[in-house]
Amino acid sequence: MNDITWEEPFCGEGSACFRIGTDESDNAYVAVAGAEDHYLTDTREALRTLIRDIKAGKADHLL
């Protein structure tokens, strides 16, 4: 198993906190804070694309 380096949690008001992590094999991870052993994983490039798309408003319909 890869050694994951987790960032500080991203939290919204009254909602769950999410954490993003990376490893040395160019993988990215997303988990609920406190449940880091149950994560979603993909490449760092996929995470970059997700973040760019969210910043561009492509997920605004979910708000």
Side-chain angles (χ1 to χ4, degrees):
M1 186 161 138
N2 294 325
D3 197 22
I4 303 168
T5 301
W6 293 102
E7 299 290 327
E8 290 297 316
F10 295 92
C11 301
E13 289 184 34
S15 65
C17 297
F18 294 92
R19 295 188 80 184
I20 295 174
T22 56
D23 67 18
E24 292 185 12
S25 297
D26 211 32
N27 297 308
Y29 302 83
V30 178
V32 173
E36 288 83 357
D37 54 333
H38 299 285
Y39 52 77
L40 298 172
T41 186
D42 207 324
T43 64
R44 287 187 192 198
E45 184 55 36
L47 178 61
R48 282 185 203 100
T49 300
L50 174 66
I51 292 169
R52 286 183 189 129
D53 286 351
I54 290 170
K55 288 175 77 173
K58 293 182 180 181
D60 285 356
H61 64 283
L62 299 172
L63 301 176

